[in-house]
Amino acid sequence: MTTISEPELLATLKTTFGFDHFRAGQLEIVETLLDGHDALVVMPTGAGKSLSYQLPAILSANKTVIVSPLVALMDDQVAALRQNGIEASKIHSHQSYEENADNWLQFANHGAKLMYMSPERLMQPRMLEALKHQSVGMFVVDEAHCISKWGAAFRPEYEALSQLKTLFPQAQMAAFTATADDATRRDIAAKLSDQNCKVFLRGFDRPNLSLAVLPKEKLKDNLLALLDTKRGQSGIVYCLSRKDVDDIAATLNGAGFQALAYHAGKDSDYRRTAQNRFMTEDGLIMVATIAFGMGIDKQDIRFVIHASLPSSMEAFYQEIGRAGRDGQPAETILFYGTQDFIKRQNMIFDGEGDQDFKLREFKRLEALIGYCEATTCRRMSILTYFDEASAPCGNCDNCLDPPTVEDYSVQAQQILQAVHQTGQFFGQAHILDVLNGAQTAKIRQRNHHDLACFGALADSPRAEVKALLRQLIATGALRVNLERYGALEITQSGAQIGQGEAAFMAKKPRAAKTTAPRKAAKTRQPVDRADEALFQDLKALRLALAQEKNIPAYAVFHDAALRDFAALKPQTREQFKQVNGVGPKKLDLYFETFAAAIKQHIG
Ligand code: ADP
Ligand code: ZN
């Protein structure tokens, strides 16, 4: 058992990180690691994984090496630790030889107990040799799913980490990830641990995030209308390609929004500046590919919009997980259309990896399609996927405005007939044209106007037929054959519907909406108007301090702490210390500056 009691751990939490209580799951993980067990922790982004290993690392007599895949992430973590008076070292490729050498010396001479490193650095023979003389008690592997080929983002440089358990048999292993299904979890545990590894799997629900899916039609118009309801808020718009990012960012800027474009094609200076601006300024919209987001610790992101379909359920959940980390309501909206599904499907099957891998990736994508097409609570569809029990949430579009499910067997039969009569040879656009009775060159060329199905659904709006077609694909009645350029093919279940042996129940298509239904605004923290002004002043002060020190703003204080300052207006050191987020180090660093600002405000 841990020799450190819970009250003692709480006291240390306050004196090191300034926090008053643990978040769900943290205490159990801290205790498990202090007991010397291996652990695999799967918790969503923003749940507070870092602290769960940092605290045991600080309390341990031995040293801890933390493997992290991203330079920016290491920099931010170390900056945040130092703000709390905790020394930590980091070695990575963006630092000079001298800086890396200094960091090593600090670690070797017991100036720092924590060392952040990339997997490549760690696994260099010289580094491994040097670490053997450093009484390393624990290895922490962040983004641990990267070690597994079963996982959502395998990285070859992670593979070598599986040697650690043999190279350092006395050290304990702690693996952290926000995303790992059952197979991936078992794989991570087997690769990193050979003792019994305790698995923590929890807290996937993020009730403050609202969930909605909108049809991807007239994307730019709908996006602008949607964003118009969110002026002044910070948010992310995710796009599939760099070109889309540049294009949408330009559109938003043209419409008077403040948008930044972010993707891997921009140089690193630009990216760093854009990221810093997003972290520190209010009301910016980051239009980005998935290159943006890892390690972003901005608490007050109020919305995450997907302008196109993410690659999998895992990716989607990780991306929306960046919203609302402060626990306040935040919106997530996904624009979904079949074209994107086909594009994603193409990317998987044209991509790298063996057939098995591709099929698994496709399953992850299908799970997301299930989410998009869900007619019942969307949160339940996510949580079920992550093995967590749940009930209807009341904070998703389907809960707030339940879709009507109706019998569309007749229309489905017409659609399937059209696919059948044209020889299962054409993609959805042509099938829609045929059903619509359109006069296109392709139709004339193939004499498709002579078919019985020609014009069969001419009375229904095209968007409605398209929605039904999409649902036929999503439910597996029709298959998109990528080898045949997206030709639609009828599956066995489709044939049953086509022959009237099975009914086709589907969501009643509705006129495209630009906004998702919303829950009545939840009560925010009670900050009155006067306090709001103080809150803004304190934010500006925080920004100035962060810029001066070249650290992220949240490393000075989180928004939640600033809100408390604005509400409580602490003027003595004792009062200041009461606020969640103020530890002794930050008290010393910031009391005078912030107290002066508060005093000035009170006048
Ligand atoms: P994860 O690694 O799970 O994505 P982090 O460790 O980055 O999440 O934590 C997210 C944010 O929550 C950080 O800003 C962190 O300082 C804050 N946090 C963590 N634990 C607590 C706590 N017990 N009380 C208040 N804030 C916390
Ligand atoms: Zn719901």
Side-chain angles (χ1 to χ4, degrees):
M1 270 312 288
T2 324
T3 44
I4 309 177
S5 68
E6 187 179 330
E8 284 173 291
L9 287 175
L10 273 171
T12 317
L13 180 68
K14 182 70 181 169
T15 53
T16 47
F17 293 95
F19 296 134
D20 296 336
H21 30 76
F22 285 105
R23 288 205 182 145
Q26 285 179 329
L27 179 64
E28 292 96 312
I29 301 164
V30 168
E31 287 180 336
T32 300
L33 294 179
L34 285 172
D35 279 347
H37 294 289
D38 288 358
L40 164 59
V41 178
V42 189
M43 286 207 299
T45 314
K49 290 187 285 299
S50 325
L51 188 146
S52 312
Y53 61 78
Q54 286 166 348
L55 195 60
I58 292 161
L59 288 168
S60 162
N62 292 321
K63 295 176 187 174
T64 298
V65 173
I66 300 130
V67 183
S68 178
L70 223 74
V71 169
L73 211 120
M74 293 189 224
D75 283 345
D76 288 354
Q77 293 258 342
V78 170
L81 283 166
R82 288 186 181 153
Q83 282 300 296
N84 283 315
I86 302 153
E87 271 315 318
S89 292
K90 58 186 161 98
I91 292 187
H92 61 62
S93 55
H94 291 200
Q95 293 183 156
S96 66
Y97 177 81
E98 287 74 24
E99 280 174 293
N100 280 336
D102 283 350
N103 273 273
W104 173 260
L105 281 178
Q106 187 193 27
F107 181 71
N109 297 334
H110 307 284
K113 278 206 263 181
L114 287 77
M115 167 67 96
Y116 283 81
M117 249 186 260
S118 65
E120 302 90 305
R121 287 275 172 166
L122 170 60
M123 297 315 289
Q124 280 171 8
R126 274 187 58 207
M127 181 59 81
L128 291 169
E129 194 46 43
L131 284 172
K132 289 224 167 103
H133 306 284
Q134 289 302 323
S135 63
V136 176
M138 175 161 72
F139 287 94
V140 173
V141 180
D142 203 4
E143 308 289 347
H145 58 279
C146 296
I147 201 172
S148 174
K149 287 196 171 135
W150 307 89
F154 174 64
R155 287 176 176 239
E157 64 277 18
Y158 261 68
E159 201 154 42
L161 297 175
S162 58
Q163 298 162 32
L164 286 174
K165 62 180 184 192
T166 351
L167 292 169
F168 296 87
Q170 325 78 325
Q172 65 186 120
M173 302 291 304
F176 288 80
T177 170
T179 154
D181 58 15
D182 187 44
T184 312
R185 292 198 290 272
R186 272 182 281 143
D187 199 22
I188 298 172
K191 290 214 162 93
L192 290 178
S193 169
D194 53 9
Q195 321 159 23
N196 55 355
C197 177
K198 278 206 186 180
V199 179
F200 294 86
L201 180 67
R202 71 173 71 242
F204 273 87
D205 194 10
R206 299 278 311 278
N208 62 318
L209 302 188
S210 72
L211 307 169
V213 176
L214 293 173
K216 186 164 171 175
E217 278 150 20
K218 300 203 191 88
L219 177 69
K220 281 185 185 167
D221 291 349
N222 287 338
L223 191 59
L224 286 173
L226 183 64
L227 289 172
D228 209 36
T229 65
K230 308 190 177 315
R231 293 216 179 242
Q233 301 180 356
S234 308
I236 306 177
V237 177
Y238 277 115
C239 303
L240 187 58
S241 69
R242 298 175 187 185
K243 190 173 143 287
D244 288 350
V245 166
D246 290 330
D247 184 30
I248 288 186
T251 305
L252 296 188
N253 282 318
F257 292 96
Q258 290 215 64
L260 299 167
Y262 190 105
H263 55 65
K266 308 271 185 195
D267 67 47
S268 59
D269 272 353
Y270 170 91
R271 278 188 287 163
R272 201 161 178 85
T273 315
Q275 182 164 326
N276 280 341
R277 282 193 59 198
F278 184 66
M279 298 297 285
T280 48
E281 290 175 32
D282 276 332
L284 286 189
I285 301 169
M286 188 62 105
V287 185
T289 59
I290 50 159
F292 178 76
M294 221 205 224
I296 291 302
D297 187 9
K298 185 172 168 61
Q299 304 280 309
D300 60 349
I301 296 174
R302 292 271 70 85
F303 59 87
V304 170
I305 297 173
H306 281 94
S308 48
L309 193 70
S311 59
S312 65
M313 188 68 138
E314 280 87 350
F316 171 66
Y317 206 54
Q318 189 153 18
E319 284 154 22
I320 63 171
R322 295 179 180 130
R325 287 205 189 175
D326 52 9
Q328 301 289 335
E331 270 185 77
T332 80
I333 290 144
L334 192 161
F335 283 100
Y336 160 65
T338 317
Q339 282 313 320
D340 282 347
F341 174 42
I342 295 174
K343 254 189 225 162
R344 284 291 184 190
Q345 199 177 337
N346 262 322
M347 286 166 80
I348 292 172
F349 289 101
D350 289 350
E352 282 171 27
D354 56 18
Q355 198 57 19
D356 248 24
F357 173 79
K358 291 177 179 176
L359 287 176
R360 269 197 310 276
E361 285 299 292
F362 186 60
K363 284 242 167 309
R364 297 180 209 282
L365 178 61
E366 273 189 318
L368 185 60
I369 299 301
Y371 170 84
C372 294
E373 293 289 351
T375 50
T376 53
C377 178
R378 292 201 200 272
R379 197 171 317 267
M380 284 178 68
S381 129
I382 296 180
L383 294 177
T384 308
Y385 180 76
F386 289 114
D387 298 326
E388 203 167 299
S390 59
C393 73
N395 195 17
C396 74
D397 49 358
N398 285 346
C399 277
L400 291 166
D401 184 11
T404 326
V405 178
E406 285 183 0
D407 190 334
Y408 282 98
S409 303
V410 176
Q411 291 87 335
Q413 282 169 17
Q414 310 272 29
I415 296 172
L416 290 160
Q417 275 302 321
V419 174
H420 177 69
Q421 289 173 11
T422 53
Q424 309 196 50
F425 211 71
F426 297 90
Q428 64 160 338
H430 185 67
I431 298 296
L432 285 172
D433 285 342
V434 170
L435 287 162
N436 212 221
Q439 296 292 342
T440 69
K442 204 165 170 180
I443 285 182
R444 281 193 299 275
Q445 252 167 31
R446 314 261 168 172
N447 286 328
H448 283 169
H449 49 275
D450 292 338
L451 296 174
C453 60
F454 183 73
L457 293 177
D459 292 340
S460 314
R462 192 177 167 102
E464 188 177 312
V465 182
K466 197 168 160 188
L468 290 174
L469 189 68
R470 201 182 63 214
Q471 293 185 67
L472 281 167
I473 297 172
T475 51
L478 283 175
R479 193 170 80 90
V480 179
N481 189 334
L482 296 172
E483 262 113 60
R484 294 175 54 215
Y485 307 102
L488 293 172
E489 294 173 354
I490 300 168
T491 65
Q492 217 172 359
S493 73
Q496 287 182 337
I497 296 170
Q499 282 147 23
E501 288 162 17
F504 182 66
M505 304 298 290
K507 244 185 311 187
K508 189 177 158 83
R510 8 183 197 203
K513 287 189 207 164
T514 53
T515 48
R518 287 199 218 188
K519 209 159 89 156
K522 269 210 216 146
T523 43
R524 276 196 148 233
Q525 248 162 312
V527 178
D528 64 28
R529 279 188 91 74
D531 293 338
E532 186 59 36
L534 175 55
F535 176 60
Q536 294 304 336
D537 286 355
L538 296 179
K539 268 181 127 170
L541 175 60
R542 174 180 68 178
L543 175 58
L545 289 167
Q547 282 173 340
E548 192 183 299
K549 299 185 175 194
N550 198 16
I551 58 176
Y554 73 86
V556 176
F557 285 117
H558 289 168
D559 276 9
L562 295 191
R563 277 194 190 280
D564 280 355
F565 292 153
L568 305 169
K569 305 187 181 61
Q571 314 215 359
T572 65
R573 287 174 70 89
E574 203 42 50
Q575 290 165 345
F576 201 74
K577 214 169 69 184
Q578 300 300 316
V579 168
N580 191 19
V582 184
K585 181 71 183 182
K586 288 192 181 170
L587 184 67
D588 285 346
L589 281 174
Y590 299 120
F591 169 69
E592 309 229 325
T593 329
F594 279 82
I598 292 167
K599 196 161 173 200
Q600 190 183 23
H601 178 83
I602 299 172

